[in-house]
Amino acid sequence: ASEGLALVICVGAPGSGKSNLAVQHLRGYARVNQDTLKTKAKCLQACEAALKAGKSVVVDNQNKSQADRAPYLALAKQASARAVAVWF
């Protein structure tokens, strides 16, 4: 995987600024958002596809629990991507 490949997981309540970060500051990243994709399974598929294509990803969901974040972290590890969580 690319040395610069990254997965950014936003963690926070609705209206806390997660989408603003994703849209305004991480423009070059693939944005994964459950409001748009509707299911967690589709979010995970989109995340995996982007990482496999060598594209960094921002996960713009609430991701409140460790269980919510774990599948994304597993995908990052599988792709040798750096994983970062941003709390709001």
Side-chain angles (χ1 to χ4, degrees):
S2 169
E3 189 176 307
L5 195 60
L7 172 74
V8 176
I9 301 177
C10 296
V11 182
S16 61
K18 300 179 305 294
S19 294
N20 184 61
L21 174 79
V23 173
Q24 297 298 322
H25 300 286
L26 298 173
R27 289 185 188 148
Y29 285 53
R31 180 174 172 237
V32 172
N33 177 279
Q34 194 164 325
D35 290 340
T36 305
L37 296 174
K38 303 299 182 201
T39 69
K40 181 153 187 174
K42 286 183 181 179
C43 290
L44 289 167
Q45 289 171 352
C47 181
E48 182 176 25
L51 290 170
K52 281 185 176 178
K55 193 161 177 77
S56 291
V57 178
V58 56
V59 181
D60 176 19
N61 296 330
Q62 292 183 46
N63 298 306
K64 291 187 258 182
S65 73
Q66 185 176 357
D68 291 333
R69 299 185 294 271
Y72 294 106
L73 294 173
L75 290 174
K77 185 174 183 177
Q78 180 182 321
S80 300
R82 180 173 38 102
V84 177
V86 179
W87 271 261
F88 290 83

